[in-house]
Amino acid sequence: MRVIVVGAGVLGTMHAWQAVQRGHEVVHIEREAEARGASVRNFGLVWVSGRAAGEELATALRARELWEEIGATVPALGFRANGSLTAVTDETELAVARAALARPDAAARGFALLTPDEARALNPALRGDLLGALWCERDAAVEPRTAQRALKDALLASGRYTFLGGREVREVVGERAVRDDHGETHTGDAVVLCTGAWLGGLVRELAPDLPVRRVRLQMMQTAPLGEKLTTSVADADSFRYYPAYAGPGLDAMAAAKPQPPVAAEHRMQLLMVQRADGGLTIGDTHEYAEPFSFDVVEDPYEHLTAVAEGLLGRPLPKVRHRWAGVYAQCVDTTRVVHRERVRDGVWLVTGPGGRGMTCSPAIAETTADALEW
């Protein structure tokens, strides 16, 4: 079988990976020279902890297994099973963590509630004031800026993979074929469009009522910390963002402890993960109403810096990079992904939202199973 994959972000690359692993030939087309969108502008987190029970959690857990398997095959992914600590600093936050620990799926997520001493024993870099921390053993991380490149190199080594960068697919031609802006037609047995936040042009023509929206975020990365951050780290504002923590405890926390105005305005949480070079990737914000700002705003960075320094108990290293990114999210956020047959043999797969990096291996596996590759 010959599979045409359009889009070289993590979702498209994982579809290519699934096809090649199953013995098929892949032509992979990307409008940029290489992935430049949300897939390289994220934390690199494989984030199981806050996922909604049911399909979303099952997808994340399966993806976590696949990431570990792929990471063993492609060491350059930088996969590490580092887990995460969500720091709590008062009793209302602690109550939310206790409620999470009481969930029937807490063991599947690898949840444990740690004392301050236990949290610091696990991650000595957390020297700030803590009342405890929610540990999630199943969370993990990869290197987002290089992961797609590493996967591409491994795919090229198979001999059944062709990468065509710098080509924008302009139209679907007949059945199971696309034409790019070089005038070349690519024909296969199946076409999978994983175009990320690019929802106009061909995508709008093929799916004019697409139930997907775009979300913009801001993030930053520091110089090397100078010590090991042994786990990924979140603050208790992440309880407000992830569906697993919804319930009376979260309602009480929200009532007793409103977010600071800048955090509320920008719908913020703190997530922090250490990169291979020792720097920290820190974020993030969420902007839903288009047209999006074209510049980055400094106030959220100041807030994130203060929260991170409070947990670390020390100043952050110099910030070396700031950026914005845009990803595609299903309007119905309970849906893991939007998968639609837009022509005979042509499928559009989009809208995983902030779950894209986490869930893409399992999403691609489900597509491959459904299409019987």
Side-chain angles (χ1 to χ4, degrees):
M1 178 180 285
R2 179 180 170 95
V3 180
I4 311 298
V5 178
V6 180
V10 66
L11 194 57
T13 301
M14 285 299 177
H15 279 81
W17 181 268
Q18 280 289 328
V20 168
Q21 290 297 108
R22 296 173 188 226
H24 305 309
E25 178 187 353
V26 171
V27 176
H28 199 177
I29 308 171
E30 165 58 37
R31 61 178 179 159
E32 303 280 359
E34 59 181 21
R36 304 299 293 166
S39 295
V40 297
R41 304 186 193 196
N42 65 69
F43 296 97
L45 291 172
V46 182
W47 201 250
V48 173
S49 47
R51 302 300 170 199
E55 180 189 4
E56 183 176 334
L57 177 59
T59 303
L61 286 169
R62 175 56 181 157
R64 168 65 172 76
E65 294 175 356
L66 290 169
W67 271 118
E68 188 162 13
E69 291 174 8
I70 299 168
T73 303
V74 188
L77 284 177
F79 175 85
R80 51 201 182 276
N82 60 337
S84 74
L85 289 172
T86 300
V88 297
T89 59
D90 66 28
E91 290 291 343
T92 64
E93 297 171 357
L94 189 60
V96 180
R98 286 183 176 132
L101 195 65
R103 294 181 59 95
D105 53 21
R109 299 171 191 266
F111 276 161
L113 187 56
L114 307 184
T115 67
D117 287 345
E118 289 170 335
R120 292 190 183 101
L122 193 59
N123 192 339
L126 295 177
R127 299 187 184 90
D129 291 334
L130 296 176
L131 196 58
L134 182 65
W135 163 244
C136 179
E137 182 269 338
R138 297 302 293 160
D139 287 340
V142 297
E143 291 300 299
R145 290 176 179 250
T146 57
Q148 272 64 253
R149 201 177 306 151
L151 287 167
K152 183 178 77 172
D153 289 345
L155 287 164
L156 287 168
S158 73
R160 297 190 304 278
Y161 174 82
T162 300
F163 181 81
L164 300 175
R167 296 184 181 226
E168 182 174 321
V169 170
R170 292 289 179 83
E171 61 180 318
V172 172
V173 184
E175 296 181 1
R176 301 176 175 85
V178 298
R179 181 175 293 126
D180 65 29
D181 59 358
H182 287 55
E184 187 173 349
T185 298
H186 309 275
T187 303
D189 299 290
V191 176
V192 183
L193 306 173
C194 299
T195 55
W198 178 43
L199 303 178
L202 176 62
V203 174
R204 183 171 290 115
E205 292 175 10
L206 295 170
D209 299 316
L210 190 64
V212 173
R213 64 179 178 180
R214 304 199 313 157
V215 181
R216 181 180 185 268
L217 55 82
Q218 289 185 197
M219 297 173 62
M220 64 183 181
Q221 190 162 315
T222 73
L225 181 63
E227 62 180 317
K228 189 78 170 176
L229 190 74
T230 55
T231 72
S232 299
V233 175
D235 76 340
D237 274 345
S238 65
F239 291 152
R240 308 173 196 261
Y241 184 74
Y242 290 106
Y245 305 114
L250 180 61
D251 294 341
M253 185 190 98
K257 190 178 181 182
Q259 284 187 294
V262 65
E265 177 187 356
H266 295 279
R267 298 173 176 87
M268 297 179 69
Q269 62 176 335
L270 173 84
L271 296 176
M272 180 165 57
V273 59
Q274 192 167 45
R275 301 270 64 93
D277 69 355
L280 303 177
T281 301
I282 300 172
D284 60 351
T285 66
H286 300 89
E287 184 179 354
Y288 300 100
E290 295 196 57
F292 296 137
S293 303
F294 59 82
D295 48 8
V296 293
V297 182
E298 190 62 24
D299 288 352
Y301 291 115
E302 293 175 355
H303 172 79
L304 290 169
T305 297
V307 175
E309 290 181 346
L311 295 177
L312 295 172
R314 54 166 285 184
L316 281 180
K318 181 179 179 180
V319 175
R320 285 188 169 169
H321 305 283
R322 304 177 194 268
W323 68 91
V326 177
Y327 59 74
Q329 178 188 62
C330 290
V331 174
D332 177 0
T333 57
T334 65
R335 296 182 59 198
V336 173
V337 73
H338 178 76
R339 188 183 287 106
E340 178 181 353
R341 189 178 72 172
V342 292
R343 293 289 188 275
D344 187 27
V346 181
W347 291 82
L348 173 65
V349 186
T350 187
R355 297 170 287 217
M357 200 69 178
T358 295
C359 293
S360 55
I363 292 170
E365 181 182 59
T366 300
T367 302
D369 288 344
L371 300 184
E372 298 182 343
W373 287 355

